[in-house]
Amino acid sequence: MFTERELKLIKRAEARVKQAVMFRLMAIVIALVLIALFFLGYLNPEELAFSAFGLALLSFIAPQLGGAPKYEELVAVLAKQRKQQQSS
């Protein structure tokens, strides 16, 4: 099956996916809070626009930050596994 190194790689990838989902949920909550603050009169349209732009930019960049397994490494592990299954 998988080597110890490959299993660690898969676990790191799974953790990164969970982290990305949690960040997206937090971004949605923050966006809803910003909209509520705008309608309650605590934020003016310019502040809402800047906040929304910053949140969108952070949401786009955040999954790229940090140490995550590279896509090529994961594909190599899966390709190796597929070849082993085809040869059996």
Side-chain angles (χ1 to χ4, degrees), residues 1-86:
M1 275 317 250
F2 292 115
T3 66
E4 189 64 32
R5 181 182 168 275
E6 292 169 343
L7 290 173
K8 286 181 183 179
L9 179 71
I10 292 168
K11 286 184 184 196
R12 282 187 11 229
E14 288 174 337
R16 188 64 176 178
V17 167
K18 288 178 185 176
Q19 181 184 7
V21 168
M22 289 303 297
F23 184 82
R24 289 178 187 132
L25 289 174
M26 286 178 20
I28 290 170
V29 169
I30 291 170
L32 292 173
V33 168
L34 288 173
I35 292 169
L37 289 173
F38 171 71
F39 282 116
L40 292 173
Y42 292 106
L43 287 178
N44 63 38
E46 186 176 292
E47 292 170 331
L48 178 63
F50 282 124
S51 300
F53 179 75
L55 186 59
L57 185 63
L58 186 61
S59 295
F60 182 73
I61 293 174
Q64 311 307 320
L65 302 175
K70 293 187 177 23
Y71 179 75
E72 293 83 14
E73 293 176 44
L74 295 171
V75 170
V77 168
L78 294 173
K80 176 183 165 188
Q81 183 68 23
R82 185 191 59 172
K83 286 179 186 176
Q84 288 176 353
Q85 284 181 349
Q86 286 177 345

